[in-house]
Amino acid sequence: MQTSQSFGIHFTTRPDKAKDGKEPIYACVTVNRQRAYIALKQNVDPKNWDGGKGAAKGNKDEVKSINNYLEEVRLAIGNSYKELQIKRKMLSAKAVKDLYLGEEAQVYSLSRLITYHNETSTEDLKWSTLKHYYVTQRYLVKFLETQFHATDIYLHQLDYKFVKDFEVFLRNHKPKDHQQPLNNNGVMKHIIRLKKMTNLALNLQWITNDPFATYKLKIQKVNREQLSEKELSDMEKKALSIARLDMVRDMFVFCCYTGLSYVDMINLTPANIIASSDSERWIRTCREKTLIPVNVPLLPPALKILDKYKDNIRSLSDGRVFPTVSNQKVNSYLKEIADLCNITKKVTFHIARHTFATTVTLSNGVPIETVSKILGHTKITTTQIYAKVVEKKLKEDMKNLQDRLAIKNV
């Protein structure tokens, strides 16, 4: 709610609506620089109107009657404002106008929209996705406190400036819960979530104007890292005497040869490992993120790791293929492993998926359509984000082209 308010009432006329030489009088209600106009049942001769004072001028009984009426209106509007204050409702010029007119129209706020979105998205969004909306909500509250000295705002107050100011706030915000400020794409993710929620408000007809109508998202293309063939080999062969590092290395390498994400790997159960008609073993599962079915043939390095953990006590007790460990710990351990393997790249678990797409499959001639299917993508364009053409593959393709051209010229 607003912690401080500015409130005013001023009377004015509308020359453009004059009739029979008289202009209608309007009450202009102002709350925090936002205005709402109320048409009154009074008309006045423009010669008898003082625009500066917002009152009729002269000593005629008609003039006195108009001014007495305007004072009654001023008192009634003021009482409407006070009533909203007492009831601890959000204050706006429109809310005061609606209460004065007895219309008490349904008013929607940003916090109400966010609550509705989060409550109705539990079936559509996984918790791993939904929790990011709560982070965006916390940033919005901080922004409102800083920019408006408030904890909430009406939806009809959202406009291009609100979105742009929120973007600037995110770019300049120095978080206390992590070391670095948000980068460009991190800022854009919060803006995208706000946009999805305002689109929901438009569909619900809670607002009529789209605050993002002229706003342009600025997503920067990111050079996605993956392990090279040598780096992957070094990690596989590295002797690790610490059990937790050895286990995380195995999980990471397993995903480098299967393309599974961390959550899909950690959720694997023995029932997800099936044997085909030719006795080859496959992974059959669904992506946690999209629920898209995924069938992955198990390559020898992945099979070797799978067999290593088939009798693991922790795995058996959890009913999983691999022991359960949090994603946060996994990424922390991967930094240690990368240091031990002399890998200077910032290694996170998701790099395993990039490595599968680029180093293991596409660089070895696997068609992108096949890779896309294994990764569980619905669009080839999504796979292309993961899969950049590495130098080795580029040289091989150009060498093949040279050979074909040489044969033609013989």
Side-chain angles (χ1 to χ4, degrees), residues 44 50 104 141 153 167 260 278 299 330 354 405:
V44 65
D50 188 331
E104 290 198 78
V141 170
I153 191 172
E167 178 194 333
L260 294 179
D278 55 2
L299 298 171
V330 162
H354 302 169
L405 291 174

Side-chain angles (χ1 to χ4, degrees), residues 115-262:
T115 299
Y116 180 81
H117 170 272
N118 293 344
E119 289 177 350
T120 56
S121 298
T122 53
E123 296 297 323
D124 301 326
L125 301 176
K126 295 291 182 182
W127 169 245
S128 57
T129 300
L130 187 58
K131 67 181 181 182
H132 295 302
Y133 281 87
Y134 286 98
V135 177
T136 300
Q137 181 181 8
R138 290 198 293 271
Y139 274 118
L140 280 167
V141 170
K142 290 179 182 177
F143 169 65
L144 290 174
E145 290 173 346
T146 302
Q147 191 83 0
F148 299 93
H149 304 293
T151 56
D152 207 353
I153 191 172
Y154 284 114
L155 288 180
H156 64 74
Q157 293 177 269
L158 302 186
D159 54 14
Y160 174 88
K161 185 177 185 304
F162 179 91
V163 178
K164 190 64 182 177
D165 288 347
F166 182 48
E167 178 194 333
V168 173
F169 169 81
L170 291 172
R171 292 189 186 281
N172 295 331
H173 182 67
K174 296 180 180 179
K176 296 179 181 179
D177 52 350
H178 49 86
Q179 295 179 352
Q180 297 182 347
L182 294 168
N183 60 23
N184 177 80
N185 288 1
V187 170
M188 288 298 108
K189 286 179 182 178
H190 290 294
I191 298 294
I192 288 170
R193 293 183 199 114
L194 176 60
K195 187 176 189 295
K196 287 182 178 178
M197 289 187 282
T198 56
N199 283 342
L200 174 62
L202 284 166
N203 292 333
L204 292 168
Q205 297 184 340
W206 287 7
I207 53 175
T208 55
N209 296 320
D210 182 5
F212 285 89
T214 58
Y215 182 86
K216 301 296 182 183
L217 292 166
K218 299 178 284 290
I219 306 294
Q220 294 178 352
K221 290 185 177 181
V222 178
N223 183 27
R224 297 178 182 268
E225 288 280 14
Q226 80 285 322
L227 295 187
S228 66
E229 188 175 330
K230 180 181 183 305
E231 288 168 335
L232 177 57
S233 177
D234 289 345
M235 186 174 285
E236 287 182 78
K237 296 175 180 177
K238 183 67 176 180
L240 298 172
S241 58
I242 302 175
R244 60 180 172 82
L245 298 183
D246 184 59
M247 178 185 69
V248 169
R249 184 266 308 275
D250 289 341
M251 292 177 173
F252 181 84
V253 171
F254 181 82
C255 289
C256 286
Y257 285 101
T258 59
L260 294 179
S261 65
Y262 160 80

Side-chain angles (χ1 to χ4, degrees), residues 36 80 83-84 87 89-109 112 154-156 205-206:
S80 296
E83 183 177 338
L84 290 173
K87 291 182 178 179
K89 292 186 177 181
M90 280 193 302
L91 296 168
S92 72
K94 185 177 184 303
V96 174
K97 173 185 175 180
D98 290 340
L99 184 57
Y100 169 76
L101 295 175
E103 296 178 355
E104 290 198 78
Q106 187 73 283
V107 180
Y108 299 99
S109 68
R112 182 173 179 181
Y154 284 114
L155 288 180
H156 64 74
Q205 297 184 340
W206 287 7

